[in-house]
Amino acid sequence: MAAIRLPLWRCCFRPILRDVIPGQARTAAVQHARSSARNFTSTRTLPTVASQTTSTREQLPEDENAFTRLAPASPSYFTGSADFFDNWLALQELYRKYQTLPVLTAEETARVKWKTLNQYRGIVGTEVKAARYKKILTLLNRLHRIEPALLPEDVKAILEMYKREMDPNVGKPKEKHIDKYGRALATGRRKTSTARVWLVEGDGEALINGKPLAQAFSRIVDRESVIWPLHVTDRVGKYNIWGLVSGGGTTGQAEALTLGVARALMIHEPLLKPALRRAGVVTRDPRAVERKKPGHLKARKMPTWVKR
């Protein structure tokens, strides 16, 4: 038989008869229990022990054969993660309440950093799965996109609760400058290759490990990859490149130099960053060869299965 979930006001204080009371006494006890349950109002904050004892005595019926059961104030008490579900339901209620307000696009919305999963676990005091916390972040991002001029006060308050407290000096990258010789130093990596690049104003010469670009890389594709940041910004004949690269193969070394040249160019001219980002030379490429596993022929290839 399926269990029927009663409303909270009917589950807070319900006298339970220990013995069967015949006749009018039983009817009077049941009516008294129902009236006591309707008069009880639950709050979100748990009362103290003294208040619980006082309220329990006040709600007890006169019959000695009945006793009172105290129900939890939160409907999420028996879920195992009451604090998480309370927070999630509160955010859903705010979303349903203000979902008709105008919102900004993703590009127009100001960037914000929410509390990490470990920080949230420390607040609620229970183990919360990452998939569940992602639901909270989804609602927070949706509420954060509401037009700032129309943002309600209750939404502002709950967003401030979830914002991460950041020190402006922590995690801030060090500013790089041009040295007294007019050189900008930057580092680039790709696969297992590492390149250090010095960029200085000149006539477009390039020396890689003390060799001209044509001798350092025999393939035309690799040569074009090294000077690609200068090519997309029309700075080919305005800077000289001097680089030291080690590790990996020719392709990895060429792409490591590409990242190094792009970073050094942004030190000289920071306004070129949008153009370099559109060209795809600002972000470090994290891809690498997947390692071979025991029992496999390669990284994922398995030997042919033979029945006998």
Side-chain angles (χ1 to χ4, degrees):
M1 180 182 295
I4 301 176
R5 186 169 183 176
L6 299 176
L8 185 60
W9 63 270
R10 296 185 61 184
C11 298
C12 292
F13 286 103
R14 168 163 294 189
I16 301 175
L17 303 180
R18 294 177 178 172
D19 301 324
V20 178
I21 305 175
Q24 297 179 355
R26 179 181 179 183
T27 305
V30 173
Q31 291 178 356
H32 183 83
R34 290 178 179 176
S35 61
S36 300
R38 290 192 181 94
N39 295 331
F40 177 76
T41 56
S42 61
T43 58
R44 297 301 298 273
T45 57
L46 293 177
T48 60
V49 177
S51 61
Q52 289 181 5
T53 306
T54 304
S55 61
T56 304
R57 291 176 180 175
E58 292 175 357
Q59 300 295 336
L60 279 175
E62 298 178 357
D63 197 331
E64 297 180 354
N65 294 324
F67 65 93
T68 306
R69 181 180 61 192
L70 180 64
S74 173
S76 306
Y77 179 79
F78 296 103
T79 60
S81 301
D83 292 332
F84 163 75
F85 281 102
D86 288 342
N87 296 337
W88 185 34
L89 293 175
L91 289 173
Q92 283 185 333
E93 183 179 355
L94 285 177
Y95 169 68
R96 286 191 294 266
K97 185 177 179 180
Y98 300 111
Q99 61 182 345
T100 57
L101 293 178
V103 296
L104 302 176
T105 60
E107 293 77 11
E108 298 174 347
T109 307
R111 298 184 63 183
V112 63
K113 291 187 176 181
W114 309 111
K115 293 185 182 296
T116 61
L117 178 59
N118 291 332
Q119 290 176 342
Y120 182 75
R121 287 173 177 172
I123 293 173
V124 299
T126 57
E127 188 71 17
V128 180
K129 294 183 179 180
R132 288 185 172 180
Y133 187 58
K134 187 176 180 181
K135 297 179 180 180
I136 288 184
L137 294 181
T138 302
L139 292 173
L140 290 174
N141 291 326
R142 175 59 180 81
L143 293 174
H144 181 62
R145 290 177 54 192
I146 298 177
E147 186 73 32
L150 304 176
L151 193 64
E153 292 297 330
D154 51 352
V155 177
K156 287 183 181 179
I158 200 167
L159 291 180
E160 289 295 331
M161 291 171 52
Y162 287 94
K163 285 184 179 179
R164 192 192 314 176
E165 297 179 0
M166 297 290 295
D167 187 353
N169 298 323
V170 175
K172 188 176 181 180
K174 296 181 180 179
E175 295 184 1
K176 296 185 178 180
H177 304 281
I178 302 173
D179 62 6
K180 60 181 181 180
Y181 301 106
R183 301 173 303 182
L185 172 62
T187 304
R189 293 182 177 85
R190 176 72 172 97
K191 297 181 180 178
T192 57
S193 302
T194 303
R196 301 184 68 194
V197 179
W198 287 265
L199 196 68
V200 63
E201 294 184 3
D203 53 0
E205 295 183 1
L207 288 177
I208 309 299
N209 291 339
K211 301 178 182 178
L213 188 62
Q215 296 182 8
F217 297 100
S218 59
R219 299 174 59 195
I220 299 179
V221 178
D222 296 334
R223 301 176 198 169
E224 293 179 350
S225 178
V226 173
I227 62 173
W228 182 249
L230 302 176
H231 178 73
V232 296
T233 55
D234 197 16
R235 302 290 193 277
V236 175
K238 298 183 180 180
Y239 292 97
N240 292 342
I241 301 174
W242 191 71
L244 295 176
V245 60
S246 61
T250 56
T251 302
Q253 291 183 355
E255 295 185 2
L257 287 168
T258 304
L259 181 59
V261 171
R263 289 177 174 176
L265 183 58
M266 287 190 295
I267 298 176
H268 280 280
E269 302 182 47
L271 297 180
L272 294 178
K273 185 174 181 178
L276 293 172
R277 185 172 292 280
R278 287 193 297 269
V281 295
V282 176
T283 306
R284 160 79 155 96
D285 192 349
R287 296 176 299 175
V289 177
E290 189 175 348
R291 66 173 292 267
K292 183 185 180 300
K293 282 82 174 180
H296 292 215
L297 298 179
K298 296 192 295 184
R300 300 191 180 186
K301 184 178 180 182
M302 292 287 290
T304 304
W305 180 80
V306 180
K307 187 174 182 180
R308 292 180 179 85

